[in-house]
Amino acid sequence: MRFDPQLRARPVELKEAIGRFTRYLIAQEDRLGLRSRARKDEDLRKFTIAVEAVVCNLLMQGLLREDTALAVPLDNNMMWGANRYRNPVYGQHFLGLLDLLERLKLLKRVTTGYRFSKTAKAPSLFKTVADLGKRFPRVTPDSFRREQEQEILVPKSGRDDDGNATLINYSESQKTRTLRRQIQRINNWLLDADIELTGTRAAARLGKEGEVIASYRRTLRRTFNNKSWQQGGRLSGGFWMTMPRKDRFRQIRIDGKPVADVDYQQLFPRLAYVRAGAPPPTGDLYDVMGDATGRDGWKLLLNALLFTRGPLKRWPRDCSPLLPQLNLKQALALLEQKHEPIAHMFGTGIGFELMFLESELLIAVVTHLFQSGIPALPLHDAVLVAKPNAEAAKAAMKYAFCAGSAQSRAFIKVEFGPGK
């Protein structure tokens, strides 16, 4: 489970218990001779919110069905980085808090983080002990809330040789203020919307990226790539984004109703054809063989060609087993033949620009739907809406694509769940 520095207590009883625990920890510091003088007001404020964040994360960890450790980032940049991304929960007071909890045998360090590249360090892993939970009221996922991200625009550098990208400490401008207002407006709508998860009152579970699936995780941030405000731009952070697909239909309710998934079909290659000013071939753009053979493999390969820079020298991850009858050279030749009008874009890295166009489409669609009174959860190239609003969402997505691309037709699929 990833440590979430924004996690806070919701009920008064839990807040009061955390307050008592904070005072207990300060008393233990005095007893152990760890401090020679009382904290200044600002230092006490930071220590207090750090205690609340750590306690809430450990209590949430105890609700998980899985036997998991809490992954806490302890690298120097996270603790002391002098930029807009630094969180007040982190710092020397945070490191001292973890050490104190270990010393009091309320926390156990499973592994210590290690540097695995020049720009990245693995988090340290912690587990709580039973005595900690006894100090607090019984909790459920509804016992927690989440502070909004202090920075919702996240530009990153290009990936280094190890595949890692660093955060860019950008300067404010009219453009960044406009971009931020767009996401803040969507976040305000999401916070006010009637969105719930069924069947998760007593326990919690993790998404595929180690983030807790809980309805309090509903605000978004927008990440840009390669030091450019015109590359990437995808939204992330919502609990629904890391849920297994089938669980979205089974558990998410909007305005008390099951959801529909309204999805652009083959959006990246279609945007590439728009950029090339050429009509796409008829049918499924990922069906290279004409009989749906190896479709998932062709999809991986085509998108890899749009994102990579230079010739593709090896199979994309997990792609080769999906196209067992071909070697890479043969597969590339067939793909270039199928998509000759956009083949000149392969190996140019244009995918990040197409991703930006995708994100602009989704932001326009979600904004329109909320302004029309229809809550919508964005999913890269799709939206989740209450079932009765599926056709309205489809119409909004069609309009956004056609207006932005000068195309007369959009390819959109509506799904109501597995087998429906």
Side-chain angles (χ1 to χ4, degrees):
M1 169 182 159
R2 286 188 181 184
F3 179 79
D4 184 354
Q6 304 300 99
L7 200 60
R8 302 289 187 269
R10 183 188 297 275
V12 172
E13 295 80 8
L14 181 56
K15 292 180 181 178
E16 291 175 345
I18 293 174
R20 291 191 295 270
F21 185 63
T22 303
R23 293 190 290 274
Y24 163 77
L25 292 178
I26 293 173
Q28 293 305 303
E29 286 181 321
D30 293 339
R31 180 181 68 82
L32 295 169
L34 299 178
R35 294 190 64 84
S36 59
R37 56 185 177 180
R39 290 179 173 86
K40 296 179 181 179
D41 289 347
E42 178 62 15
D43 293 337
L44 179 60
R45 184 189 71 83
K46 290 181 179 179
F47 181 76
T48 300
I49 64 170
V51 172
E52 183 175 9
V54 169
V55 168
C56 288
N57 274 268
L58 292 172
L59 292 176
M60 175 59 78
Q61 180 190 1
L63 293 177
L64 295 171
R65 297 186 181 97
E66 305 91 344
D67 180 24
T68 58
L70 183 64
V72 184
L74 299 179
D75 59 279
N76 290 342
N77 188 57
M78 186 67 72
M79 293 300 116
W80 297 287
N83 60 45
R84 63 174 59 244
Y85 303 104
R86 184 179 175 186
N87 193 299
V89 166
Y90 295 131
Q92 187 58 51
H93 59 285
F94 182 78
L95 298 177
L97 170 60
L98 297 181
D99 290 341
L100 178 61
L101 291 173
E102 286 187 87
R103 190 163 181 169
L104 297 174
K105 300 188 184 305
L106 296 173
L107 188 65
K108 180 180 179 181
R109 191 183 301 246
V110 180
T111 65
T112 299
Y114 60 92
R115 186 161 298 284
F116 59 87
S117 79
K118 294 180 180 179
T119 57
K121 183 178 181 180
S124 296
L125 300 181
F126 293 85
K127 284 193 174 183
T128 186
V129 297
D131 285 349
L132 182 68
K134 295 176 183 178
R135 297 174 178 270
F136 302 97
R138 186 170 180 174
V139 297
T140 72
D142 290 337
S143 301
F144 305 100
R145 64 181 181 85
R146 192 173 190 275
E147 295 281 352
Q148 287 202 52
E149 300 280 358
Q150 63 179 27
E151 184 50 79
I152 56 178
L153 297 182
V154 187
K156 291 186 176 183
S157 66
R159 294 185 182 275
D160 61 20
D161 293 340
D162 297 309
N164 301 302
T166 56
L167 302 179
I168 303 298
N169 192 26
Y170 63 92
S171 300
E172 283 294 344
S173 66
Q174 183 60 45
K175 181 179 186 63
T176 61
R177 287 188 285 271
T178 299
L179 290 171
R180 186 177 293 106
R181 282 195 296 269
Q182 286 181 328
I183 309 308
Q184 285 176 334
R185 182 165 55 168
I186 292 174
N187 282 342
N188 290 337
W189 283 325
L190 288 168
L191 288 170
D192 289 340
D194 181 2
I195 305 167
E196 62 177 344
L197 281 165
T198 63
T200 59
R201 296 191 180 279
R205 63 178 301 180
L206 292 180
K208 59 185 178 182
E209 298 178 4
E211 295 177 323
V212 175
I213 296 173
S215 59
Y216 61 72
R217 282 189 50 240
R218 60 173 70 185
T219 57
L220 305 172
R221 56 188 178 274
R222 193 176 183 191
T223 302
F224 296 84
N225 301 95
N226 303 319
K227 302 181 182 180
S228 171
W229 296 111
Q230 281 76 46
Q231 296 195 35
R234 274 186 168 177
L235 299 172
S236 62
F239 70 86
W240 59 93
M241 293 178 169
T242 57
M243 289 182 75
R245 182 179 176 82
K246 65 179 187 305
D247 288 349
R248 294 175 188 146
F249 296 107
R250 186 166 58 89
Q251 291 188 314
I252 298 176
R253 298 292 180 269
I254 299 178
D255 292 335
K257 299 177 178 63
V259 298
D261 184 307
V262 190
D263 186 1
Y264 283 118
Q265 298 292 284
Q266 307 112 48
L267 183 59
F268 265 29
R270 295 192 186 282
L271 290 174
Y273 274 95
V274 171
R275 177 65 67 88
T282 58
D284 187 339
L285 301 188
Y286 296 131
D287 183 12
V288 173
M289 306 303 290
D291 58 3
T293 301
R295 182 189 185 278
D296 290 342
W298 292 116
K299 179 179 180 179
L300 284 173
L301 186 58
L302 177 54
N303 286 322
L305 287 170
L306 292 172
F307 277 92
T308 192
R309 289 190 178 276
L312 191 66
K313 297 179 180 180
R314 61 177 64 89
W315 286 103
R317 184 178 179 181
D318 300 326
C319 186
S320 180
L322 300 172
L323 300 170
Q325 73 278 21
L326 300 168
N327 60 41
L328 180 58
K329 184 177 180 180
Q330 292 170 329
L332 292 176
L334 287 171
L335 202 54
E336 290 171 358
Q337 180 181 351
K338 168 80 173 180
H339 293 295
E340 189 275 334
I342 60 171
H344 66 283
M345 296 181 178
F346 296 167
T348 65
I350 197 173
F352 288 105
E353 296 177 33
L354 302 180
M355 186 185 288
F356 175 74
L357 297 177
E358 171 202 74
S359 67
E360 291 283 279
L361 276 177
L362 263 291
I363 288 173
V365 168
V366 170
T367 299
H368 171 78
L369 289 173
F370 269 112
Q371 287 176 333
S372 303
I374 299 175
L377 308 182
L379 265 171
H380 301 326
D381 60 355
V383 294
L384 298 176
V385 295
K387 277 187 178 182
N389 295 322
E391 287 304 313
K394 183 177 179 181
M397 292 174 70
K398 177 182 178 181
Y399 176 82
F401 180 83
C402 294
S405 65
Q407 301 290 304
S408 61
R409 184 181 178 189
F411 294 80
I412 301 167
K413 183 178 181 181
V414 179
E415 289 188 83
F416 299 105
K420 296 183 180 181

